[in-house]
Amino acid sequence: DQQVKQNSPSLSVQEGRISILNCDYTNSMFDYFLWYKKYPAEGPTFLISISSIKDKNEDGRFTVFLNKSAKHLSLHIVPSQPGDSAVYFCAASAESGTYKYIFGTGTRLKVLA
Amino acid sequence: DAGITQSPRHKVTETGTPVTLRCHQTENHRYMYWYRQDPGHGLRLIHYSYGVKDTDKGEVSDGYSVSRSKTEDFLLTLESATSSQTSVYFCAIGTGYSNQPQHFGDGTRLSIL
């Protein structure tokens, strides 16, 4: 059973508009959430994270929102740029002593110029 | 970039042959991880290490073994490769604190014919 789900495999957005990527999770013990971005032939790179004690974290054009009651997080990119075209993975971690991440299946974002 | 080197970057081999992938870090991080990335599955943890000679299984560990004889090196071995192990393999390193992101290498593309 997949504990972290990204239900949209792909998303296309016009340059300058907002991109919203979504992620749902099932395990209420998750207490730290991350977004990674991945370009072809490269490893995932860390983008932004949020602790479960917060509901929003912002870093430049990137904002992550966490709704614990709905077990849902989202990544907003404003404004979207062609260089943002990549696969985005959400991940979750629990303070269980194992320091392991559970990743979603990824969403491919294409920003159209 | 975090100092993570994976080798080889590409490998083609035949079913039944042994294969060893290497991950080398220069960050002196305690934790090292091996993931595989497959379409529709995202990133899945194979094995991880929390110190020299200390390793544990991830969610897809069958058919894989690991070893860590030095802090900087983490080896992933497929004792008898199967076609289902064709994948892109990523190594990651971490401090062990769940609120600090893991950093990934650029991956090894492994094809088993």
Side-chain angles (χ1 to χ4, degrees), chain A residues 25 30-35 46-58 63-68 72-74 91-93, chain B residues 98-99:
Chain A
Y25 62 95
F30 289 147
D31 64 352
Y32 184 62
F33 304 88
L34 311 93
W35 285 95
F46 170 72
L47 192 58
I48 192 168
S49 63
I50 187 167
S51 166
S52 60
I53 62 173
K54 297 185 175 181
D55 55 19
K56 176 183 173 181
N57 188 28
E58 194 171 353
T63 303
V64 56
F65 296 92
L66 177 62
N67 182 334
K68 283 180 291 184
H72 177 83
L73 68 155
S74 60
S93 174
Chain B
S98 62
N99 62 350

Side-chain angles (χ1 to χ4, degrees), chain B residues 42-109:
Chain B
L43 290 150
R44 292 180 292 174
L45 182 66
I46 305 171
H47 282 281
Y48 70 103
S49 169
Y50 48 97
V52 174
K53 299 191 189 304
D54 294 321
T55 64
D56 204 352
K57 296 178 180 180
E59 60 183 307
V60 290
S61 58
D62 287 348
Y64 301 95
S65 62
V66 290
S67 65
R68 191 167 178 201
S69 59
K70 298 185 289 185
T71 299
E72 57 266 35
D73 289 326
F74 192 33
L75 304 181
L76 177 71
T77 298
L78 292 64
E79 299 289 348
S80 178
T82 68
S83 58
S84 65
Q85 294 175 311
T86 291
S87 187
V88 182
Y89 291 85
F90 289 99
C91 173
I93 63 174
T95 60
Y97 294 101
S98 62
N99 62 350
Q100 294 182 0
Q102 295 175 17
H103 295 282
F104 285 79
D106 282 336
T108 294
R109 182 172 294 275

Side-chain angles (χ1 to χ4, degrees), chain A residues 32 36 43 95 99-101, chain B residues 31 33 96 98-100 102:
Chain A
Y32 184 62
Y36 281 82
E95 194 68 52
Y99 312 112
K100 297 187 290 188
Y101 293 171
Chain B
Y31 284 77
Y33 308 82
S98 62
N99 62 350
Q100 294 182 0
Q102 295 175 17

Side-chain angles (χ1 to χ4, degrees), chain A residues 25-31 71:
Chain A
Y25 62 95
T26 57
N27 189 340
S28 59
M29 297 302 293
F30 289 147
D31 64 352
K71 294 190 177 68

